[in-house]
Amino acid sequence: MSAYYGYNSMGCQEDNEGSWGIGVYYGNSPFSLKPIEDMNIWDNRSAAWPIANPVLTCASVTDSAFPSNYVADPFLYAKDDILYMFFKSKNPITMQGDIRVARSMDNGVTWEQLGVALNEDWHLSHPYVFEYNRHIYMMPDGSGKGDLRLYRAVDFPLKWKLEKIILERSLIDTFIIQHKETFWIFGSYHGNLEIWYSRSPFGPWTPHKRNPVLGLPNGGRPFNYNGNFYRLAHDNERVHVFKIEVLTPYSYKEVEVDIGVENPTKGRNAWNGARSHHLDVQRLSNGNWVGVADGDRIHFGDVISRRVVGCGLIVTAGSVIFVIGWLLGLVKRFIPFAHNVKNKNSLLLIWERLKLRVRLNVNPNRFIGKFVISFLLIVSVVIMCVGFWYIYGGNGAEKPYPVDTRFSQFTLLAMTYDARIWNLKMYVNHYSRCASVREIVVVWNKGNPPDPNDFDSAVPVRIRVEKQNSLNNRFRPDPLIKTKAVLELDDDIMMNCDDIERGFKIWRENPERLVGFYPRLVTGPPPLMYRPEKHARKHNGYNMILTGAVFIDREVAFERYWSREAEAGRETVDEVFNCEDVLMNFLYANGSRDPTVEYVKPKWAIDTSKFSGVAISGNTQAHYRVRGKCLEEFTKIYGGLTDRKVEFGRRADGWDR
């Protein structure tokens, strides 16, 4: 999965081409396309509930024994209700593009990697595939050869033969279409759009009278819809669609229209947040439309820019250290010329006087001198650390983690009330930009609910107003939640998105468990006492995960919590206004003999309730006493937890240490 996806192999290594992936879209027209996650399609084999874009990445290719550093430029070809996707893939050995192909038997939901369709001694991209006279042809961009080549499939989809060099011109991002008995080539030459026409796709080709025509470079396959002809183009950031109103050998006119595809809202945390420059749409046999698009979360040159900035900062830090040494008189040997010249000129005299004056004012034996030198030393160390972070610390994107090369999404659920609205606004602003968050549901327990439009959110926010102020509402069944995964996260806990994404990955690998960030250990003999995390650390294990920050299966968890067997526990929760998370742990432990809890250690976490004074656990000792009583009560009803201990550090990824 690359530096982008966390993959460590020959393929998917971060380089200057960015972090490209390919996503699938569906709609009842080419102007109503929605990403696959909006269709709520599930894939149990890869724990994707629902499947989320991107559906194809360099990891998808690399894991199938065809190493790749990135994938882009997807083109579809439908044959016998089977979809074939031809796309550019960067070979990490030759560092040039070749053409790969994948196959889908379910209209683009899942893809099987078939292998390399076309490989030449030069860079290939933009594999435009079309049918003519019952033959299938491919016209890839191979501008490195300075010509335009047409290949014919001799054993579709993996074996192709050069049919003809149809144009001695290095056009890029080209396509051939037939319009009113004439074949047309659209392509770019040195950044300018050109049009050529012929009576046959094999030529000879005649340049358009207005070449170069005004227009953006091609961004995918053109298409016909409702009797109109449309061209896809790109501006290196997003795909645009133009309605072609006039196309003759002497004139050309196009008008931009709205393509209807929503732009990403999560910035670098979206798989296509930085740019997308290609879209191919096809009509399925059922009348609906499917589209494939590429996307990148990091702009071209990101690796180089980070290294340049990082090296510049390190050089700056070195310069500061040099100045410190000069002030201390430790670097005389590096500038000896002033001492070796017998007849010093005025410039050297000025230099010597400057050094003397500075050393008199910044004497390391005096307080002011020590202060200045210490300050400069601290600044240099900070600058150097920032420099190394730029080089080795990554690009700043918080990336999702795939399971079996597939991605998914979860619903974030927070329970709160009117006294904590300031917390909630900060909470929504932050977590809505995490890559895998699909929706934020706010369980509103008390007071006048806010307007969802009041939040600065990158995802939809839904306010669920409850009739009664009860902690049991946290786990109330909610049929409007579309994802299998729910992250129950208190509105006063702030963590980074990477920690959240790591927890989501671990939960997808263990969906039958409570996967969370705050471990506790319940030990016997009675009376049972509720203790902080350091108790679990001291005894190297845990048997409880607090549901203030936990991933759950909404169907299993909510059903257990609102079952008849849990009724007595819910009554206790309402009575003490506490312990709903303790009850959930007992219900899980009572429902399975396998480990029912899984811990993920966050890099950092901040409890913002410490600054507000509205937390129910503000009085720690009283809070712990109530929870101790809950432990005793739930043990009598549901059995114990003491024999369900899980050790820290048992996973190979080290995320539970």
Side-chain angles (χ1 to χ4, degrees), residues 233-249:
H234 74 90
D235 60 2
N236 289 322
E237 298 288 338
R238 293 284 165 243
V239 174
H240 303 261
V241 61
F242 292 88
K243 178 182 176 182
I244 297 178
E245 296 187 334
V246 178
L247 177 57
T248 72

Side-chain angles (χ1 to χ4, degrees), residues 489-557:
L489 186 63
D490 286 348
D491 66 328
D492 52 15
I493 294 177
M494 299 299 291
M495 294 186 288
N496 64 37
C497 287
D498 183 62
D499 287 331
I500 298 298
E501 296 294 342
R502 289 190 298 136
F504 186 40
K505 175 183 185 293
I506 297 302
W507 179 84
R508 289 179 62 200
E509 295 171 340
N510 306 277
E512 73 285 354
R513 300 176 187 173
L514 298 171
V515 177
F517 304 91
Y518 292 94
R520 296 291 187 268
L521 179 64
V522 179
T523 55
L528 300 177
M529 297 177 61
Y530 184 83
R531 298 178 176 91
E533 182 177 338
K534 63 181 180 181
H535 175 73
R537 293 286 181 183
K538 180 179 179 180
H539 293 82
N540 191 33
Y542 58 96
N543 49 23
M544 182 187 296
I545 291 291
L546 300 190
T547 60
V550 68
F551 281 96
I552 59 174
D553 181 332
R554 66 171 173 86
E555 295 175 337
V556 174

Side-chain angles (χ1 to χ4, degrees), residues 197-308:
Y197 61 94
S198 172
R199 291 292 181 182
S200 163
F202 305 107
W205 293 91
T206 303
H208 195 277
K209 299 303 180 183
R210 292 182 56 188
N211 274 350
V213 300
L214 295 177
L216 295 173
N218 293 325
R221 185 191 305 272
F223 62 90
N224 286 283
Y225 181 69
N226 284 347
N228 296 313
F229 178 37
Y230 298 91
R231 182 178 77 92
L232 292 165
H234 74 90
D235 60 2
N236 289 322
E237 298 288 338
R238 293 284 165 243
V239 174
H240 303 261
V241 61
F242 292 88
K243 178 182 176 182
I244 297 178
E245 296 187 334
V246 178
L247 177 57
T248 72
Y250 304 97
S251 60
Y252 177 75
K253 182 182 179 181
E254 63 181 18
V255 177
E256 185 171 6
V257 297
D258 184 11
I259 195 172
V261 177
E262 295 182 2
N263 289 328
T265 57
K266 298 187 180 184
R268 288 188 169 195
N269 291 352
W271 72 276
N272 57 349
R275 54 182 173 167
S276 176
H277 65 22
H278 186 96
L279 173 66
D280 185 21
V281 293
Q282 297 279 312
R283 192 169 189 176
L284 299 172
S285 58
N286 60 13
N288 292 325
W289 290 74
V290 60
V292 287
D294 61 14
D296 181 18
R297 67 171 67 241
I298 302 299
H299 281 288
F300 175 82
D302 184 72
V303 176
I304 284 182
S305 65
R306 295 202 319 267
R307 289 174 180 169
V308 168

Side-chain angles (χ1 to χ4, degrees), residues 336-533:
F337 55 88
H339 302 279
N340 298 332
V341 177
K342 295 182 179 179
N343 298 317
K344 300 179 181 179
N345 58 33
S346 58
L347 184 61
L348 293 178
L349 288 173
I350 293 173
W351 172 252
E352 288 293 321
R353 290 171 180 170
L354 175 62
K355 291 197 297 181
L356 179 62
R357 179 173 298 178
V358 170
R359 286 185 182 145
L360 287 174
N361 291 331
V362 190
N363 189 329
N365 296 320
R366 297 178 180 175
F367 173 79
I368 187 64
K370 292 179 180 179
F371 175 80
V372 171
I373 291 171
S374 299
F375 175 77
L376 291 175
L377 185 60
I378 293 172
V379 169
S380 65
V381 171
V382 171
I383 293 175
M384 187 170 293
C385 290
V386 173
F388 279 110
W389 179 83
Y390 265 92
I391 296 174
Y392 299 107
N395 48 46
E398 302 284 5
K399 302 168 279 291
Y401 293 86
V403 173
D404 295 331
T405 74
R406 303 304 294 271
F407 297 88
S408 190
Q409 293 183 318
F410 63 87
T411 300
L412 181 62
L413 188 147
M415 186 170 62
T416 190
Y417 62 103
D418 52 0
R420 300 162 67 102
I421 188 66
W422 72 275
N423 252 20
L424 185 63
K425 289 184 176 181
M426 179 173 57
Y427 174 100
V428 169
N429 177 277
H430 172 64
Y431 288 116
S432 70
R433 280 142 179 97
C434 295
S436 300
V437 175
R438 175 171 179 172
E439 178 191 28
I440 296 177
V441 176
V442 178
V443 179
W444 195 259
N445 264 358
K446 187 176 67 174
N448 294 323
D451 186 334
N453 296 321
D454 291 342
F455 298 101
D456 178 10
S457 178
V459 300
V461 177
R462 177 163 59 91
I463 310 295
R464 197 180 82 200
V465 180
E466 299 291 348
K467 296 179 180 179
Q468 178 185 353
N469 183 13
S470 169
L471 296 181
N472 290 320
N473 293 332
R474 179 193 293 272
F475 305 115
R476 186 179 297 280
D478 188 339
L480 296 181
I481 295 177
K482 301 302 182 183
T483 63
K484 185 180 180 71
V486 169
L487 172 59
E488 297 271 358
L489 186 63
D490 286 348
D491 66 328
D492 52 15
I493 294 177
M494 299 299 291
M495 294 186 288
N496 64 37
C497 287
D498 183 62
D499 287 331
I500 298 298
E501 296 294 342
R502 289 190 298 136
F504 186 40
K505 175 183 185 293
I506 297 302
W507 179 84
R508 289 179 62 200
E509 295 171 340
N510 306 277
E512 73 285 354
R513 300 176 187 173
L514 298 171
V515 177
F517 304 91
Y518 292 94
R520 296 291 187 268
L521 179 64
V522 179
T523 55
L528 300 177
M529 297 177 61
Y530 184 83
R531 298 178 176 91
E533 182 177 338

